Amino acid sequence: MNLVVKNIVILISGTGSNMQALVQAAQQRQWAQRYGARIAGVLSNRPDAAGLAWAQGQGLPTKVVDHKAYPSREAFDAALVDAIHAINGGTVPDWVVLAGFMRILTAGFVAHFEGRLVNIHPSLLPAFPGLHTHRRAIEAGCKFAGATVHRVTAELDHGEFLEQAVVPVLPDDTPETLAARVLTQEHLIYPRAVERLLASPA
Ligand code: GRF
């Protein structure tokens, strides 16, 4: 059966552990054979992102678009759009997956990739959009925390929820210990959410 190729471009800013989980799931769960899906490349807005070396080690194309080199968000996003097209052979990829990508994207960028953009956020949205989610959950006295995979819209950390995972907040938790517990779940739900998108009719 001839599968239509589905190209995925992943954006990271740091360690890229979610990117690694996606790449490994693509290999282990045979996304190419089952859905025609391929990871076209990995981009970062930070030249020192540790995930870049790992992706190169997997033979994946990588690119850096350093946000510090641009005078405005709009200028950076325009360069990012060009880089995403370039790493995908000059065309728009089917999916742009934000994996620990720590830049707020402009409405223009979101509109350009409308319906193709997904993100993972380390809280149980709609609670705690934005930064420092684990500290805020602990300070609020939450008994549970988690992560959310969602479609990206122009409104930060909004958009349709695709997957969520819940973890307990333990009495002696610090933001770091809670983040580690949540991250383990992120590595399970993000590949699951992306695979479901790949399996769904276009
Ligand atoms: C993750 O918790 C992710 O949800 C958040 O950044 C953290 C680091 O992600 N956006 P990664 O290890 O770089 O994928």
Side-chain angles (χ1 to χ4, degrees):
M1 175 174 68
N2 278 342
L3 290 168
V4 177
V5 174
K6 295 174 184 164
N7 290 304
I8 302 167
V9 171
I10 305 177
L11 276 53
I12 67 171
S13 293
T15 317
S17 69
N18 278 290
M19 175 270 294
Q20 295 179 29
L22 290 160
V23 171
Q24 286 161 344
Q27 292 158 352
Q28 288 155 11
R29 295 186 52 77
Q30 301 185 315
W31 288 0
Q33 294 85 336
R34 298 169 73 185
Y35 313 110
R38 60 184 281 273
I39 298 185
V42 175
L43 282 105
S44 174
N45 63 301
R46 296 178 56 102
D48 60 351
L52 290 170
W54 187 89
Q56 288 152 8
Q58 298 292 310
L60 290 168
T62 63
K63 258 184 195 308
V64 171
V65 183
D66 186 346
H67 64 275
K68 293 197 180 96
Y70 296 87
S72 68
R73 240 176 236 293
E74 288 69 22
F76 167 71
D77 281 11
L80 192 59
V81 166
D82 292 346
I84 290 170
H85 288 194
I87 210 166
N88 191 54
T91 61
V92 180
D94 300 271
W95 296 103
V96 177
V97 175
L98 310 181
F101 184 69
M102 304 305 282
R103 296 291 300 170
I104 296 175
L105 296 163
T106 59
F109 182 98
V110 173
H112 183 84
F113 294 109
E114 190 173 357
R116 303 164 186 261
L117 264 176
V118 290
N119 181 43
I120 189 157
H121 181 75
S123 84
L124 283 173
L125 292 172
F128 309 121
L131 297 174
H132 314 303
T133 57
H134 307 302
R135 177 172 54 75
R136 291 157 63 200
I138 291 168
E139 286 174 357
C142 293
K143 301 299 179 206
F144 293 95
T148 305
V149 178
H150 63 97
R151 289 182 184 274
V152 175
T153 62
E155 196 176 351
L156 182 69
D157 298 331
H158 277 65
E160 177 197 353
F161 302 162
L162 300 173
E163 272 278 0
Q164 289 191 303
V166 179
V167 303
V169 179
L170 304 180
D172 56 354
D173 259 333
T174 63
E176 293 71 31
T177 57
L178 180 55
R181 191 172 311 116
V182 171
L183 198 56
T184 305
Q185 293 302 313
E186 292 184 43
H187 298 160
L188 299 174
I189 63 170
Y190 215 175
R192 199 186 305 153
V194 171
E195 184 164 338
R196 193 179 306 121
L197 292 171
L198 295 172
S200 60

